[in-house]
Amino acid sequence: MAITMRSDLMKTGATRAPQRSLLKALGLTDAEIKRPFVAVVNSKSDYIPGHKHLNDISEKVMDGIRNAGGVPFEFNTIGVCDGLAMNHKGMKYSLCSRELIADSIEVMLTAHPLDAVVFIPNCDKIVPGMLLAACRLNLPSIFVSGGPMMPGEYNGERFGLSEMFEFVGAHAAGKIDDEQLLQYENHACPTCGSCSGMYTANSMNCLTEAIGMGLPGNGTRPAISGARRALAQEAGEQVMELLKADIRPRDIINKESFENALRCEMALGCSSNTVLHLLAIAYEAEVPVDIKVIDEISKTTPQICKLNPAGKIFITDLNEKGGIPAVMKELSKLGIINENALTVKGTVGERIKDAPAPDGEVIHTVENPLRKDGGIAILFGNIAPDGAVVKQGAVAPEMMKNTGPARVFDSEESACDAIYGGKINPGDVVVIRYEGPKGGPGMREMLAPTSALAGMGLDSSVSLITDGRFSGATRGAAVGHVSPEAASGGLIGLIEEGDTVTVDIAGRELVLHVDDDVIEERRKNYKAPEQELSGYIKRYAKLVTSGSTGAVFEK
């Protein structure tokens, strides 16, 4: 099949002699100019541990493209490290960066029309930002992430970044001293790669594989391994096959592949942030998936993996037991995996047929699951009529239902001050509001308050609800994405100190026990706090929609 090359727009014919002269300034030969041009979109950054090695990955990708007869052109995107941005103003810009990444890729690949794309993401918002761009541009595309970090180890204990935040709480409670805190700090993040647990970055890299846009191993092969670099070269070669066959993202990303990804999300107990991102990708790809569909899939998918931060098993352990293909193969026994779904290389059925059987520890069988429903639950109720999200697979059994007094805070910082100050009591329901997409703005990840509760020994007795969101590293009864948010008139903005609130995760309800007439009286006197905003964050607050719709911009 002859390849129709989009790059001909800028390089073919007498009128494109000026453009060819510019290409020759780059050192291209006449023979190379006639070949397919392939974009390599690299999120490399010097101060994100997950990205430190991405130039190595990129070099292998470009080797693969050249091996298969293409000409690679690399450019970089921005990227925010959520760990470095956590618990200060910088986190307001993390989710915001997702839309900027997608927009910047659209700009680059429209201004410079190339024929196919290899995306190299790692870390939280970069993976979904690139997936949004892939759906929007719909060029033959493949993803190869930088891979996960190895877990930290100290005194015979393995741990990751989530525990590092919890050690801060333990330090504040006097459970560990300065020297112990330093030793944990020195050992928590031993290599490059996306942080070692099933946090948002690894969750999204695994789901990119499950939805069919990455090769087997994309989500789980360690960042430091030779296997990761071999995967990068294979991705470079395979994108040329996609170009020849004219297979594009929207041929792969559809209702069937979305269901596969959502089944994996539930089976793995992924980050709650994946709900936000998958809804955004579905919106961009025009696939009919909403929060109610996610809730139904959660109810009918068993959780068969329990990875850090929910336990002591890490993403690299999952890799050793067969990774995502092994998980999908086990789920297929229930008839809930679409095996005919197309991927960047073959069908799902073809890639899972030789995957190993579950080992019973890292990957459980569907006959003996960790839980009968998914690792993520969607809650509704008068506080969240449009839904709220919790990573129920990381909640202690005794906290699946809690009714208690509301402890109300209008920012993450004020909540943290109260937690570290010993002002939160067992049974409390901590309410953090004005942290939503519009109210934050930016819907900050709040690992600091949840890890403070865990570090101080309160994660098994205190619930937390917010219109903001949580890190994939969060564990405990932490319910985020409460919609509508306070800044949009949601009921969470009318909760007062001492009100009785029920967080019923098993019953999927989030309820404020206050009479309707009292609520209406409060609403008459309600006024959201005003913020002084400028720059991109001000434009973002005006354009962004609800967390229940993926915090997307309206088209």
Side-chain angles (χ1 to χ4, degrees):
M1 177 181 174
I3 302 173
T4 300
M5 293 199 292
R6 185 169 173 263
S7 59
D8 285 346
L9 286 169
M10 68 175 180
K11 68 182 187 182
T12 300
T15 60
R16 295 297 185 253
Q19 284 89 339
R20 290 194 296 275
S21 72
L22 290 168
L23 293 170
K24 289 178 179 180
L26 297 173
L28 268 66
T29 65
D30 287 322
E32 287 176 312
I33 290 171
K34 292 176 183 176
R35 296 173 190 164
F37 285 3
V38 181
V40 178
V41 186
N42 188 355
S43 57
K44 166 71 167 68
S45 167
D46 277 346
Y47 61 88
I48 301 180
H51 296 205
K52 184 66 178 173
H53 64 307
L54 291 191
N55 280 349
D56 293 342
I57 301 297
S58 176
E59 286 297 327
K60 297 301 290 183
V61 165
M62 291 192 285
D63 286 347
I65 292 168
R66 292 187 187 100
N67 288 348
V71 180
F73 291 85
E74 182 183 28
F75 68 90
N76 292 83
T77 66
I78 62 167
V80 172
C81 174
D82 283 27
L84 294 175
M86 196 72 67
N87 197 222
H88 59 83
K89 181 181 178 181
M91 182 50 81
K92 293 178 182 286
Y93 287 81
S94 176
L95 181 59
C96 300
S97 71
R98 187 186 72 185
E99 316 312 310
L100 277 177
I101 289 165
D103 289 349
S104 66
I105 295 168
E106 177 191 355
V107 167
M108 287 294 288
L109 292 181
T110 306
H112 313 115
L114 304 190
D115 303 303
V117 193
V118 180
F119 291 97
I120 306 176
N122 234 19
C123 303
D124 300 28
K125 303 321 147 312
I126 301 155
V127 187
M130 289 185 173
L131 281 165
L132 291 176
C135 293
R136 188 181 303 171
L137 293 161
N138 205 32
L139 296 168
S141 301
I142 194 168
F143 280 67
V144 56
S145 76
M149 180 186 291
M150 300 301 291
E153 187 169 347
Y154 174 63
N155 268 354
E157 175 189 5
R158 293 199 308 166
F159 60 99
L161 186 67
S162 58
E163 288 89 349
M164 197 61 237
F165 277 89
E166 291 174 13
F167 292 143
V168 174
H171 181 266
K175 296 180 180 180
I176 62 173
D177 60 24
D178 291 349
E179 179 58 29
Q180 289 172 301
L181 183 64
L182 177 62
Q183 289 303 319
Y184 284 125
E185 174 187 325
N186 289 342
H187 291 85
C189 299
T191 71
C192 61
S194 49
C195 296
S196 55
M198 186 54 87
Y199 313 150
T200 306
N202 288 327
S203 294
M204 286 306 303
N205 284 330
C206 288
L207 296 184
T208 299
E209 182 179 336
I211 210 168
M213 288 300 295
L215 292 166
N218 178 71
T220 59
R221 290 188 187 179
I224 59 173
S225 67
R228 172 61 57 180
R229 282 147 185 79
L231 188 73
Q233 182 162 317
E234 185 183 355
E237 292 168 353
Q238 186 60 26
V239 78
M240 296 299 293
E241 296 301 316
L242 294 169
L243 177 60
K244 290 174 187 175
D246 195 30
I247 296 173
R248 299 167 183 261
R250 292 201 185 197
D251 298 320
I252 296 170
I253 298 177
N254 52 36
K255 194 171 186 299
E256 290 71 31
S257 64
F258 250 99
E259 183 171 339
N260 286 344
L262 289 167
R263 296 289 183 190
C264 284
E265 175 185 48
M266 300 305 166
L268 291 165
C270 288
S271 163
S272 58
N273 284 318
T274 58
V275 172
L276 196 72
H277 299 318
L278 288 174
L279 286 171
I281 295 160
Y283 180 73
E284 188 68 55
E286 299 179 316
V287 176
V289 172
D290 60 22
I291 202 163
K292 291 181 180 177
V293 170
I294 295 174
D295 186 44
E296 287 306 310
I297 287 177
S298 171
K299 290 175 180 176
T300 57
T301 309
Q303 183 178 356
I304 59 174
C305 297
K306 193 168 188 177
L307 305 173
N308 180 268
K312 292 297 183 182
I313 297 170
F314 288 83
I315 192 80
T316 49
D317 300 322
L318 178 62
N319 183 69
E320 292 176 4
K321 301 303 179 181
I324 302 307
V327 172
M328 296 182 80
K329 183 177 182 178
E330 184 61 19
L331 292 177
S332 71
K333 289 163 58 176
L334 298 176
I336 58 176
I337 292 295
N338 296 299
E339 294 189 42
N340 292 325
L342 184 65
T343 78
V344 290
K345 189 174 184 179
T347 64
V348 168
E350 289 168 344
R351 70 163 54 178
I352 70 173
K353 66 179 181 180
D354 295 325
D359 67 309
E361 181 182 0
V362 176
I363 304 174
H364 289 239
T365 64
V366 293
E367 294 85 7
N368 184 34
L370 290 154
R371 55 182 308 122
K372 292 181 180 180
D373 58 353
I376 291 176
I378 309 298
L379 277 55
F380 295 93
N382 64 350
I383 297 177
D386 294 339
V389 182
V390 61
K391 186 173 180 175
Q392 65 173 346
V395 178
E398 61 268 30
M399 289 305 295
M400 291 299 287
K401 184 174 182 178
N402 178 37
T403 297
R407 306 299 307 280
V408 182
F409 304 95
D410 288 348
S411 70
E412 176 189 3
E413 288 84 356
S414 57
C416 283
D417 288 345
I419 295 167
Y420 287 128
K423 297 177 182 178
I424 301 301
N425 304 307
D428 285 349
V429 178
V430 175
V431 178
I432 305 178
R433 60 195 181 191
Y434 303 111
E435 291 286 5
K438 287 184 178 293
M443 206 176 187
R444 283 193 289 183
E445 273 191 357
M446 289 181 281
L447 179 55
T450 56
S451 57
L453 289 171
M456 298 181 79
L458 292 170
D459 58 309
S460 59
S461 61
V462 172
S463 303
L464 195 158
I465 68 173
T466 181
D467 53 8
R469 60 195 179 91
F470 296 111
S471 167
T474 289
R475 62 185 176 96
V479 181
H481 308 195
V482 170
S483 301
E485 63 175 292
S488 294
L491 185 61
I492 190 171
L494 302 179
I495 300 174
E496 294 186 357
E497 185 82 6
D499 285 348
T500 300
V501 172
T502 293
V503 179
D504 184 357
I505 296 171
R508 286 172 154 77
E509 281 195 317
L510 199 56
V511 180
L512 173 65
H513 299 284
V514 173
D515 291 341
D516 290 345
D517 57 343
V518 175
I519 290 172
E520 287 309 308
E521 193 61 33
R522 290 180 186 178
R523 195 174 295 281
K524 290 177 186 177
N525 301 315
Y526 172 77
K527 186 178 180 182
E530 295 183 4
Q531 297 191 71
E532 290 292 328
L533 301 174
S534 61
Y536 175 60
I537 202 81
K538 183 175 182 178
R539 282 181 279 136
Y540 182 86
K542 288 182 178 179
L543 295 170
V544 72
T545 61
S546 169
S548 64
T549 57
V552 296
F553 290 170
E554 289 187 9
K555 290 185 180 178

